[in-house]
Amino acid sequence: MTSIPIGAPVWSDALTSDLAADVPFYEQLFGWASMDAGEDFGHYTTFGIPDGSGGPGRPVTGVMPCPPGMEASRIWNLQFRVADCDAAAEQARRLGGTVVQGPEDVGEMLRFAMLEDPNGASFGLVESKEPGTGFGAWGEPNSVAWVEYRVDGVPAEAMRFYAELLGWNVNTPPWEDASNPKPYAAVSAAGDEREFGGCHAAEGWELDLPPQWNVMVAVEDTDRMCERAVELGGSVAAEPMDVPGLRIAGIATPTGTIVGIQSFRAWE
């Protein structure tokens, strides 16, 4: 089980217009097992890396049917861990964010709220009430390994809201060009040197898209996973490309939900 610091990503999930289509796609693509929580919980389905326990294994993400009248999300939602959801939601308001849903309890497991930051990007806050709530794996193959924010502007400025709300460290990585007026911003939780995500300045076609968080799943071979996604009835939403140390791409489920994938590559 991973240890999730306050301020770090704690969970990610998505809505789907067709649970029966997306569940086997995820299972076959990433090798996950799944568990449907049943009608009382809206058939929320948790995916995990099998560990021989008989359930879904170590949890990595979730998906649930889209409620009537609501449009299914095109990306995975992302939530961050907080000590007090109500206090954090109020602080987000003071910093210019908007509370869209909650705070509210989910059984006895957690208290959560969904918000939008000052740029309009969606994110969630989760106060864990039971040990083990959240990701059971992080950074290993077929688990979430990185979260990425895109903004038409200066990345460090876009991350200031989160730094004040969640106590993040915001740093410019050593590979960044010193002459770049909009350098990449890498982020980590307070008291934890391990970076879990970052923010980049939008370029080209990205300038037509709104600011948002994207979730990246680690895989062994990005190109092969794109081919496999198509074989399973999905599609390639963003063709494979190289970035410092990684090869990344975007794949879409049969219903159109997009998730990022990444694999390590040797430095040239």
Side-chain angles (χ1 to χ4, degrees), residues 75-178:
I75 59 172
W76 288 7
N77 300 311
L78 178 63
Q79 294 99 39
F80 301 101
R81 187 183 175 205
V82 293
D84 185 325
C85 187
D86 294 77
E90 182 56 36
Q91 173 69 353
R93 285 194 186 97
R94 289 194 292 267
L95 293 171
T98 302
V99 178
V100 177
Q101 179 183 356
E104 60 189 62
D105 292 328
V106 177
E108 298 181 354
M109 294 176 55
L110 56 88
R111 188 165 176 80
F112 89 105
M114 291 302 297
L115 303 90
E116 290 182 352
D117 68 18
N119 291 317
S122 176
F123 71 100
L125 301 173
V126 171
E127 175 188 343
S128 304
K129 294 188 174 183
E130 289 187 356
T133 299
F135 293 119
W138 176 277
E140 61 185 81
N142 300 318
S143 70
V144 177
W146 192 257
V147 296
E148 184 76 7
Y149 192 94
R150 174 187 64 241
V151 66
D152 180 9
V154 179
E157 293 180 0
M159 293 297 95
R160 187 174 299 123
F161 166 82
Y162 294 96
E164 293 183 28
L165 177 63
L166 300 171
W168 290 356
N169 305 306
V170 180
N171 300 303
T172 301
W175 49 259
E176 183 59 82
D177 187 340

Side-chain angles (χ1 to χ4, degrees), residues 10-239:
V10 66
W11 192 241
S12 181
D13 53 19
L15 296 174
T16 177
S17 59
D18 189 343
L19 193 67
D22 279 354
V23 167
F25 174 83
Y26 285 125
E27 289 178 330
Q28 294 175 66
L29 183 65
F30 295 116
W32 294 339
S34 67
M35 182 176 68
D36 186 328
E39 188 172 351
D40 289 346
F41 290 91
H43 291 286
Y44 190 97
T45 300
T46 299
F47 293 103
I49 296 175
D51 59 3
S53 65
R58 293 177 294 140
V60 290
T61 190
V63 65
M64 71 176 294
C66 192
M70 182 182 294
E71 185 177 350
S73 56
R74 291 276 295 170
I75 59 172
W76 288 7
N77 300 311
L78 178 63
Q79 294 99 39
F80 301 101
R81 187 183 175 205
V82 293
D84 185 325
C85 187
D86 294 77
E90 182 56 36
Q91 173 69 353
R93 285 194 186 97
R94 289 194 292 267
L95 293 171
T98 302
V99 178
V100 177
Q101 179 183 356
E104 60 189 62
D105 292 328
V106 177
E108 298 181 354
M109 294 176 55
L110 56 88
R111 188 165 176 80
F112 89 105
M114 291 302 297
L115 303 90
E116 290 182 352
D117 68 18
N119 291 317
S122 176
F123 71 100
L125 301 173
V126 171
E127 175 188 343
S128 304
K129 294 188 174 183
E130 289 187 356
T133 299
F135 293 119
W138 176 277
E140 61 185 81
N142 300 318
S143 70
V144 177
W146 192 257
V147 296
E148 184 76 7
Y149 192 94
R150 174 187 64 241
V151 66
D152 180 9
V154 179
E157 293 180 0
M159 293 297 95
R160 187 174 299 123
F161 166 82
Y162 294 96
E164 293 183 28
L165 177 63
L166 300 171
W168 290 356
N169 305 306
V170 180
N171 300 303
T172 301
W175 49 259
E176 183 59 82
D177 187 340
S179 65
N180 186 355
K182 300 178 180 180
Y184 191 88
V187 297
S188 60
D192 191 340
E193 296 181 354
R194 295 172 297 177
E195 294 168 347
F196 59 74
C199 176
H200 71 273
E203 296 181 349
W205 59 270
E206 291 183 326
L207 295 171
D208 296 326
L209 301 175
Q212 66 182 34
W213 285 103
N214 290 292
V215 177
M216 307 294 294
V217 175
V219 298
E220 295 287 355
D221 185 328
T222 293
D223 295 80
R224 175 57 190 141
M225 288 297 276
C226 286
E227 295 172 358
R228 181 62 175 151
V230 173
E231 293 170 359
L232 293 171
S235 59
V236 177
E239 293 291 337

